[in-house]
Each structure stands twice: as structure tokens, then as C-alpha cells.
Amino acid sequence: MVKIYGRDGCPMCKDAIEWIELKGVSYQFRDIFREPLGRTELLELAEKVPNGIFDLYATKGARKVGLPEIARELFPEKIVIFQMENPDLIRYPIFDLGNELLFGFYESTKPVLLKNLSSIPPVE
């Protein structure tokens, strides 16, 4: 099962879920605005990407709330605190593929998703 983190009403999240359903892959969706990620969860996700918590930082969300767009201008612990308080500071959709994360749903991410999703049992 693939875990998807996103927001209800997010067009990219909706498209991704529809695409995954068409592929018959089992998934679990978590709306990070209704059920925010905690510190431990954020750090666990950060361990799956090369630049840690910096890779989870949403530039667009930062711009909306007046924070630096460049994550490295903030201390990692401060980013986690901000993300716990405001999920807009987390990039989404996030596809948790077990040992790695994939961000966004674009034509370029579909082949990567397909490769990783092929090992996930279909929905019964």
C-alpha cells in the first residue's frame, strides 16, 4: 500500500488518487490539514529524502506566510515546528513508497510511481 499525504481539495492530489485508482493500486490518503503530521512523523519522512527536512519544506507555502523561501535559511528544528503548526509548509502530495518519498504529481513522476507501484498488490 502506498501512503499519500496531501490536502482534500488539492487538484494535484485528486488527480494522483484518480490515477492510482485506475492502476488498481491500494493506497491510504491522509489529509495533513485535518490530521496534521507530528514531529516524529515529519522526522521519519525526512529520513527518506536526501536533504532531510529541507526537502519537505514548501517554498510556495513559505511565501504565503512570509517565511524564507529557501529552507536552509532556517534551522531544521524550526522548520519542523513551523510545519506542525502550518501544513502549508509541507510539500504535497507526498507519496511514501516505503524507503523513499516522491513529491508532486507530474508527467515526469508517473513513470517513477509506476515502477514503484508495480510491487504493490492490487486492490481486491
Side-chain angles (χ1 to χ4, degrees), residues 17-82:
I17 289 169
E18 287 175 359
W19 185 81
I20 284 175
E21 287 176 346
L22 279 173
K23 301 297 178 196
V25 175
S26 62
Y27 70 92
Q28 178 184 36
F29 178 76
R30 178 170 173 181
D31 183 329
I32 60 174
F33 287 78
R34 290 188 182 153
E35 188 181 343
L37 295 167
R39 182 180 190 286
T40 301
E41 293 171 303
L42 284 164
L43 294 176
E44 286 173 355
L45 290 173
E47 288 177 7
K48 298 178 182 187
V49 287
N51 296 305
I53 200 70
F54 297 115
D55 283 344
L56 294 174
Y57 189 72
T59 302
K60 191 165 118 180
R63 193 175 324 132
K64 283 173 32 179
V65 297
L67 289 172
E69 292 181 35
I70 300 169
R72 296 233 181 245
E73 292 181 12
L74 297 169
F75 290 106
E77 186 58 35
K78 197 68 168 166
I79 292 172
V80 171
I81 292 167
F82 286 149

Side-chain angles (χ1 to χ4, degrees), residues 68-114:
E69 292 181 35
I70 300 169
R72 296 233 181 245
E73 292 181 12
L74 297 169
F75 290 106
E77 186 58 35
K78 197 68 168 166
I79 292 172
V80 171
I81 292 167
F82 286 149
Q83 289 173 325
M84 288 171 24
E85 295 170 352
N86 185 349
D88 258 332
L89 297 172
I90 302 169
R91 293 171 61 191
Y92 61 87
I94 299 172
F95 300 90
D96 186 345
L97 303 171
N99 292 327
E100 68 176 305
L101 300 181
L102 188 62
F103 298 96
F105 185 67
Y106 310 99
E107 286 304 314
S108 60
T109 56
K110 288 179 183 179
V112 178
L113 272 171
L114 272 178

